[in-house]
């Protein structure tokens, strides 16, 4: 018996240690950013939490379009007409300012005022706890260290067995330990990819998607008779596809891909 422990018993202990390490990693992930403060996110900010800057801009320009403030011109250009809707979010006002002269959608996204409004919005979401800061993402990544430590112990046992010529257990135990070490290392590596949104934001999005499940494009909702708020809510929670059903030509103009399904929140590495 290597290290005074038989192969099957060590494998059981190893699996128990992996279970504890996974529980620690998941607990750190769920507790980091679990509380938010300040006002709830508006629809543009919800869109950012769902699928980042592009969706936020698409929701903003859809709000202008539904208010009759954006027209489609020649050569795939867009132009704003009239004032923006009252009490519009800062990003919507920045989009309206950028569209006072005809521009393509790509030029609108690159506009300095739009970029500035996005940065301020992201800063507000991070300040209020809806987005994780760099330090919080690093903390979540560090929560996976116990997994790597457990994998290192398993690898050390295998290496010690090979170097010293002692049995680490039967062939089945050795093969099982090798596979478990590989799975543990891969799981730890996967868990170091940290989402930008905090636990409070993920919880909010799940609740709102449940409350507005009838707007999910996968359920093929009927848009006839629904107001602008319903359309913008559907876009903010489920991605830009509802705009295709209401205004397909304009949707393609602002970068909505007809082949793309529901957005999956990106995972941002925190290995720094």
């Amino acid at each position: 018996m290597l290290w005074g422990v038989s192969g099957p018993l060590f494998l059981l202990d190893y699996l128990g240690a992996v279970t504890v390490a996974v529980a620690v990693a998941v607990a750190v992930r769920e507790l980091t950013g679990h509380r938010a403060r300040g006002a709830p996110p508006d629809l543009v900010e919800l869109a950012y939490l769902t699928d980042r800057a592009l969706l936020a801009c698409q929701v903003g320009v859809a709000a202008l379009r539904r208010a009759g403030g954006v027209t489609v011109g020649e050569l795939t250009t867009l132009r704003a007409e009239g004032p923006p809707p009252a009490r519009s979010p800062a990003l919507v006002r920045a989009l309206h300012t950028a569209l006072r002269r005809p521009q393509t959608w790509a030029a609108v996204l690159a506009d300095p005022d739009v970029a500035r409004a996005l940065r301020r919005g992201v800063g507000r979401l991070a300040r209020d706890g809806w987005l994780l800061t760099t330090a919080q993402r690093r903390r979540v990544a560090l929560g996976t260290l116990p997994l790597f430590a457990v994998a290192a112990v398993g690898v050390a046992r295998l290496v010690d067995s090979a170097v010293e010529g002692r049995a680490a257990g039967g062939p089945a135990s050795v093969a099982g330990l090798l596979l478990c070490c590989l799975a543990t290392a891969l799981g730890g590596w996967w868990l170091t990819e940290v989402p930008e949104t905090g636990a409070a934001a993920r919880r909010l999005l799940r609740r709102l998607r449940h409350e507005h499940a009838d707007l999910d494009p996968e359920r093929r909702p009927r848009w006839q008779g629904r107001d602008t708020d319903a359309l913008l809510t559907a876009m903010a929670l489920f991605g830009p596809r509802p705009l295709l059903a209401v205004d397909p030509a304009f949707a393609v103009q602002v970068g909505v891909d007809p082949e793309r399904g529901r957005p999956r929140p990106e995972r941002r590495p925190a290995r720094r």
Side-chain angles (χ1 to χ4, degrees), residues 28-36 129 132 136 139 198-201 203:
V28 172
R29 178 179 292 257
E30 290 303 317
L31 291 175
T32 302
H34 76 286
R35 182 180 301 174
L132 297 181
Q136 287 175 317
R139 185 189 312 159
R203 189 167 59 247

Side-chain angles (χ1 to χ4, degrees), residues 7-156:
L9 182 57
F10 182 86
L11 187 57
L12 288 175
D13 291 341
Y14 182 91
L15 292 175
V18 168
T19 301
V20 172
V22 169
V24 170
V26 171
V28 172
R29 178 179 292 257
E30 290 303 317
L31 291 175
T32 302
H34 76 286
R35 182 180 301 174
R37 54 192 176 276
D42 58 32
L43 290 178
V44 172
E45 292 170 334
L46 282 176
Y48 186 90
L49 295 177
T50 296
D51 207 24
R52 306 301 172 262
L54 177 58
L55 182 58
C57 290
Q58 288 169 334
V59 169
V61 79
L64 292 173
R65 172 72 167 179
R66 295 285 287 182
V70 173
T71 58
V72 179
E74 298 179 354
L75 301 176
T76 68
T77 58
L78 305 171
R79 183 186 179 92
E81 294 184 353
R87 296 185 296 277
S88 296
L91 180 59
V92 175
R93 295 196 302 270
L95 290 167
H96 183 272
T97 300
L99 288 171
R100 284 177 179 172
R101 63 182 186 278
Q103 294 202 70
T104 63
W105 181 238
V108 171
L109 295 178
D111 186 86
D113 289 336
V114 173
R116 190 178 304 111
L118 280 169
R119 285 195 301 271
R120 289 175 178 170
V122 170
R124 205 283 287 186
L125 290 172
R127 185 174 60 254
D128 288 353
W130 301 106
L131 292 176
L132 297 181
T133 64
T134 301
Q136 287 175 317
R137 293 198 298 271
R138 187 178 297 115
R139 185 189 312 159
V140 173
L142 289 176
T144 63
L145 286 180
L147 271 173
F148 291 107
V150 172
V153 171
V155 171

Side-chain angles (χ1 to χ4, degrees), residues 2-3 10-11 14 151-182:
L2 183 61
W3 297 356
F10 182 86
L11 187 57
Y14 182 91
V153 171
V155 171
R157 180 177 172 88
L158 292 172
V159 171
D160 196 14
S161 173
V163 172
E164 299 295 333
R166 291 182 289 175
S173 297
V174 173
L177 179 58
L178 181 61
L179 291 175
C180 286
C181 289
L182 180 61

